[in-house]
Amino acid sequence: MDRDELKKDIAQIVADIFSEKEEADVRKRTEEALEKSAQTITDLTASLEERNAEVAEFEEKISESESKVSGLETELEAAQAEITTHKEKLSEAETALEEMKKDKATELRMSELAEAGIVSNEEVQSAKVRDMSDEDFAAYKDELVELRAAVEAELKANAEEAEKEEAEEKVEEKEEEAAEEEAEEKEEAEEEAAEEEKEEAAEEEKAEEEDVTPPAEINPAHAAMASMNMEIIPDADLVSKYAELGQAMAAQYKTE
């Protein structure tokens, strides 16, 4: 029973008492009512004290629970911080392991490229193949091999073309040299022929000069005889040759 109900009951009792005509009954009922009210108040006070004790106990339990919760929250925070630290260390370890794997993969991949003869810039290619997947690296390697084969084929074709052009140039040079030598030989032959002609002309002229004799006084009878014997007289060239032979023999004779 709460206080409001108690007040209503008391008021009702008082009203009932005063409605009685007899004073004795009024007093008696008043006393009974007061006693009843006092007992009720006593009971309510005791109940209230019990409730207060229970509330205090609950508050103490709540305080203890709050302390425990606070302690648990502190422990939870410490555990979470420790977990975060472990996660960071694990992440660092995983990163280091991943870097080691990439280093090893890069070393193996560069070795494969070197064996295939397709390493052009080791530093640039190492950085490029480091983060590739195995599939991407295989495609990259095949592409470089095909490119190298195409370049080698083109270089070979260019070299063969260059050799062919060089051979043709050499043939042309030899032909030109042969033509020049032939022209020079022809020119020299012509010069030699002209020189020989000049020498022969000079010798003939010299021989003619040596064979010229002053006109002699010829007896007409001798002249007639000579004209009759013209057919048996040798020609001028033959005479010139014999004259030269005679001069050579004379010169040899003088030398001896």
Side-chain angles (χ1 to χ4, degrees):
M1 180 180 296
D2 56 16
R3 292 184 180 183
D4 292 336
E5 291 180 353
L6 179 61
K7 287 179 180 180
K8 288 179 181 180
D9 291 342
I10 292 173
Q12 184 62 39
I13 291 170
V14 172
D16 291 340
I17 291 172
F18 284 107
S19 64
E20 296 292 338
K21 295 180 179 180
E22 295 182 358
E23 185 177 350
D25 292 335
V26 171
R27 289 179 180 177
K28 185 177 179 180
R29 290 185 177 183
T30 302
E31 290 175 358
E32 291 175 356
L34 291 174
E35 289 176 1
K36 186 177 180 180
S37 298
Q39 184 63 41
T40 301
I41 292 171
T42 301
D43 293 340
L44 290 173
T45 301
S47 177
L48 180 61
E49 289 176 354
E50 290 178 359
R51 293 288 180 86
N52 289 336
E54 291 177 357
V55 169
E57 185 178 354
F58 285 139
E59 288 179 349
E60 184 178 356
K61 289 181 179 180
I62 290 172
S63 178
E64 291 177 356
S65 298
E66 289 178 348
S67 298
K68 290 181 179 179
V69 169
S70 178
L72 291 173
E73 288 178 348
T74 302
E75 292 179 1
L76 178 61
E77 291 177 356
Q80 289 176 341
E82 187 175 358
I83 290 172
T84 301
T85 301
H86 286 308
K87 285 182 177 179
E88 292 176 353
K89 291 181 178 180
L90 178 61
S91 177
E92 292 176 357
E94 290 176 347
T95 301
L97 179 60
E98 187 66 23
E99 291 297 317
M100 291 175 64
K101 289 181 178 178
K102 288 183 177 181
D103 290 340
K104 186 63 177 179
T106 301
E107 182 179 353
L108 294 175
R109 289 172 178 177
M110 290 304 297
S111 178
E112 290 183 19
L113 296 180
E115 290 178 359
I118 49 178
V119 176
S120 57
N121 188 321
E122 184 173 356
E123 183 177 357
V124 173
Q125 285 181 292
S126 295
K128 189 171 184 178
V129 304
R130 180 180 180 82
D131 296 321
M132 285 184 178
S133 64
D134 292 338
E135 293 78 8
D136 291 339
F137 172 72
Y140 173 71
K141 179 182 175 182
D142 292 340
E143 182 180 355
L144 289 182
V145 170
E146 292 176 0
L147 179 61
R148 180 186 176 182
V151 171
E152 288 179 346
E154 184 176 356
L155 291 175
K156 183 178 180 181
N158 292 338
E160 290 176 352
E161 184 66 22
E163 290 178 358
K164 182 178 179 182
E165 291 178 356
E166 185 178 357
E168 290 177 352
E169 289 178 358
K170 289 182 178 179
V171 170
E172 291 177 357
E173 290 177 357
K174 289 181 178 180
E175 289 178 351
E176 290 177 358
E177 291 176 357
E180 290 177 357
E181 290 178 358
E182 184 178 356
E184 290 177 357
E185 290 176 356
K186 184 177 180 181
E187 185 178 355
E188 290 177 357
E190 291 177 352
E191 291 177 355
E192 289 177 358
E195 187 67 27
E196 288 178 357
E197 289 179 357
K198 288 181 181 180
E199 291 178 355
E200 290 177 357
E203 290 177 355
E204 290 178 358
E205 184 179 356
K206 183 178 179 182
E208 289 177 356
E209 290 177 353
E210 291 178 351
D211 291 340
V212 173
T213 55
E217 294 181 358
I218 300 174
N219 192 314
H222 292 167
M225 187 179 293
S227 63
M228 291 176 66
N229 296 325
M230 183 62 71
E231 293 180 0
I232 62 172
I233 297 175
D235 59 7
D237 291 338
L238 185 59
V239 173
S240 176
K241 289 182 180 180
Y242 281 118
E244 290 178 0
L245 180 59
Q247 290 177 0
M249 293 176 67
Q252 186 176 2
Y253 178 77
K254 288 180 181 179
T255 302
E256 292 177 355

